[in-house]
Amino acid sequence: MDPTPARCFVPGALWPDRAGVHINAHGGGILVDQGVYWWFGEHKVAGKAGNVAQVGVSCYASRDLYAWEDAGIALAVSDDPTSDLARGCIIERPKVIYNPRTRRFVMWFHLELKDQGYGAARVGVAVAERPAGPYRFVRSFRPNAGDWPLNVPEEQKRPLDDTERAALAAQPFTGGAFPAYPASGTFRRDAAGGQMSRDMTLFVDDDGAAYQVRAAEENGTLHIALLSDDFLGTAGPYVRVLPGRFNEGPALFKRDGRYWLIASDCTGWAPNAARSAVADSIWGPWTELGNPCEGDAQQLATTFESQSTYVLRVPGHEDAYIYLGDRWRPEDARDGRYVWLPLRFDGGRPRLRWHDRWDLSVFGR
Ligand code: GAL
């Protein structure tokens, strides 16, 4: 055990666990359960090989958010080449929530099938009896098959006809700022088979209802979808959020009875300027609040060289929220760093400022 565990956060630095090894939990999220923080994230090996899943989802435990114990591999890849989780698949942005009805811990993650690039755009679901797992893989799928978004006009609630389908297929998809982004085509194309789901997070509301937030529609539009009572699938209702804005790395949280979203632009592993938005209902309408970062031009343009993955509300403090971001290192994936910063609110907007080092005392008591 490390004799001098850290007592502060040092954004962007190597972050040794209690055994002195850099924490390996990228694109992560945090579950708070009975006074323990459980950090789940993508386990990555060294080099470019680490950009696909060689091991699985890792899990770390902490009581103070500074010092983390390696709790092992929560969900392992499979040696069976026919499995959805075959080694070499892509497992990204795992999130875990607890279901009090079934007394199961439920993990959702972005799954790309082996050797298919980012084409599958599925979610994977796994369950466990204990926070650290081991998690049993349940299934992978494209969510909301057969459902129509709540917030589209009635005339859009129909599949594409052959002409529309051909026109959509002929659109060159380049990602990023895509001027000809087909505002209503993609979700209609995918309605029958299920919606695309890449970057994602989970959110549990005060009433116990859980939601998936996903980058859908070729990453062009976020969807927020209600989960079924057992949290193993979607329940039907979902909304399209900020269509055509290409938000990724979504992080959803609640503060003062309102819903807040931090997200990134869509530039692969390269950092970009963050976005923020707020809504009075999780179903929207969502209002954009712009870049939450304050600092120099470089910091604003790159979100302090990071991409959002989660916002943690710290229990026991009055108004304490932490932005969790990744500083990706695609050339040596395991070396990716974590940028955790206090998320403050000022003038009705979330604000992020750089700190060389900081601790929870910034939130007061
Ligand atoms: C990013 C995304 C990451 C990962 C990466 C692959 O845009 O946020 O989770 O998928 O692309 O290039």
Side-chain angles (χ1 to χ4, degrees):
M1 189 182 286
D2 181 353
T4 55
R7 307 292 334 158
C8 64
F9 305 107
V10 189
L14 284 170
W15 193 343
D17 66 10
R18 281 187 174 275
V21 180
H22 180 50
I23 292 171
N24 196 338
H26 311 267
I30 290 183
L31 165 80
V32 187
D33 184 64
Q34 300 184 29
V36 178
Y37 298 101
W38 298 93
W39 175 355
F40 298 88
E42 304 157 22
H43 180 284
K44 291 183 183 283
V45 302
K48 289 185 180 170
N51 295 320
V52 301
Q54 312 285 355
V55 176
V57 174
S58 37
C59 176
Y60 290 79
S62 172
R63 290 193 173 267
D64 63 7
L65 291 172
Y66 307 120
W68 293 88
E69 185 94 42
D70 185 349
I73 297 304
L75 176 72
V77 297
S78 173
D79 291 323
D80 173 359
T82 66
S83 163
D84 287 1
L85 298 190
R87 193 183 314 278
C89 69
I90 293 175
I91 295 176
E92 290 181 341
R93 300 184 179 277
K95 304 289 179 307
V96 173
I97 55 179
Y98 177 67
N99 189 313
R101 293 180 204 92
T102 62
R103 300 201 184 144
R104 295 282 187 279
F105 295 87
V106 183
M107 178 189 290
W108 283 51
F109 52 92
H110 169 198
L111 177 70
E112 296 293 348
L113 303 173
K114 187 175 181 239
D115 299 330
Q116 296 186 21
Y118 279 83
R122 296 167 82 85
V123 293
V125 175
V127 294
E129 280 74 42
R130 287 180 299 279
Y135 285 76
R136 291 184 307 281
F137 178 59
V138 178
R139 65 186 177 122
S140 85
F141 57 103
R142 280 193 173 186
N144 288 112
D147 303 329
W148 293 104
L150 299 176
N151 60 342
V152 303
E154 282 307 312
E155 66 269 19
Q156 288 185 11
K157 296 182 183 177
R158 60 179 174 82
L160 298 179
D161 61 31
D162 288 348
T163 314
E164 290 169 321
R165 187 169 289 274
L168 182 60
Q171 299 238 22
F173 176 72
T174 52
F178 182 40
Y181 176 69
S184 67
T186 316
F187 77 83
R188 289 173 53 207
R189 179 195 68 193
D190 295 338
Q195 297 292 325
M196 300 177 80
S197 182
R198 290 200 180 107
D199 282 8
M200 58 139 281
T201 193
L202 298 177
F203 168 75
V204 182
D205 209 340
D206 301 329
D207 62 2
Y211 300 84
Q212 186 214 16
V213 187
R214 58 177 178 253
E217 303 181 29
E218 306 287 3
N219 298 357
T221 298
L222 291 178
H223 292 176
I224 299 179
L226 181 67
L227 301 194
S228 52
D229 284 349
D230 59 10
F231 296 176
L232 301 182
T234 47
Y238 75 100
V239 282
R240 305 176 69 225
V241 174
L242 307 174
R245 290 286 287 133
F246 285 86
N247 286 303
E248 288 196 330
L252 180 74
F253 59 100
K254 198 171 186 182
R255 175 184 178 270
D256 276 353
R258 309 182 84 194
Y259 300 85
W260 305 79
L261 192 59
I262 303 285
S264 74
D265 197 354
C266 185
T267 56
W269 301 118
N272 55 55
R275 294 95 178 270
S276 61
V278 67
D280 291 327
S281 159
I282 197 163
W283 299 125
W286 285 86
T287 306
E288 288 201 62
L289 298 174
N291 189 338
C293 299
E294 295 183 333
D296 63 32
Q298 178 73 5
Q299 291 174 323
L300 262 71
T302 67
T303 313
F304 313 102
E305 255 187 90
S306 76
Q307 184 184 25
S308 46
T309 186
Y310 198 74
V311 170
L312 173 69
R313 192 175 74 78
V314 188
H317 290 260
E318 188 57 31
D319 194 23
Y321 295 83
I322 304 179
Y323 161 90
L324 277 61
D326 290 285
R327 187 174 287 178
W328 304 109
R329 295 267 189 270
E331 301 297 316
D332 187 11
R334 186 179 60 182
D335 190 43
R337 306 297 172 88
Y338 311 102
V339 175
W340 288 23
L341 291 168
L343 187 62
R344 314 313 298 268
F345 293 81
D346 189 8
R349 287 181 49 194
R351 313 270 185 179
L352 272 180
R353 275 187 214 109
W354 179 255
H355 294 252
D356 286 334
R357 53 178 60 220
W358 64 284
D359 60 39
L360 296 175
S361 68
V362 301
F363 297 122
R365 275 285 136 196

